[in-house]
Each structure stands twice: as structure tokens, then as C-alpha cells.
Amino acid sequence: SSDVCSSDLISCIKEIDLDDYAEAIPAFICIITIPLTYSIANGIVFGLLSYVLINLISGKFKKIRIEMYLLSVFFIVMLLLH
């Protein structure tokens, strides 16, 4: 059953828009962070933080909803306190 779940997750990778670096880089960071930290939660946190940061740097700050900014602040505080 874990093989089916893994293959479902891996099959989603081909849907990542590799031409849009603001989408591709955070997805890659998320995918790489999960096995390196043995934590799905850490992968999601670093993927979200990199998504927000890359979009801010590239001037696409209107693309990001206020909830993403709030989550980013929460995650940064959480990482600093951990």
C-alpha cells in the first residue's frame, strides 16, 4: 500500500511547471527537504517559505494571499523557537 501512495505522490511531479521558477524551486525544495529531514511537515514549511520568499523577491507579492504571509510569519517564529 505504501508503494501505491508513493507512486501517486511521484506522479504529481510531472505536473510541476518547470518554466515558472517561482513554482518549480519551492516544489523542489519541498521534495528534497522531506527525505533529508525525515519530516513531511518540515518539507511543507520550507516549501511554503521558499514560495513566499521567491515571489516577494521577483515582485509577484500580489500573487500571494494574506494567509500565506501569516503562515510564513508563524513558521518563521516556530523555526526560531525550535
Side-chain angles (χ1 to χ4, degrees), residues 10-69:
I10 297 296
S11 67
C12 292
I13 293 173
K14 64 184 175 188
E15 296 179 23
I16 297 171
D17 183 8
L18 298 177
D19 294 328
D20 184 4
Y21 63 89
E23 299 285 332
I25 293 172
F28 176 74
I29 288 172
C30 182
I31 292 167
I32 293 301
T33 304
I34 291 171
L36 292 177
T37 63
Y38 300 103
S39 170
I40 294 171
N42 285 342
I44 292 169
V45 166
F46 285 103
L48 183 134
L49 289 175
S50 63
Y51 177 80
V52 171
L53 184 64
I54 289 170
N55 279 291
L56 280 174
I57 291 171
S58 63
K60 300 178 186 175
F61 52 89
K62 291 183 180 181
K63 176 181 176 182
I64 302 172
R65 296 175 50 137
I66 188 70
E67 294 89 347
M68 295 288 277
Y69 289 117

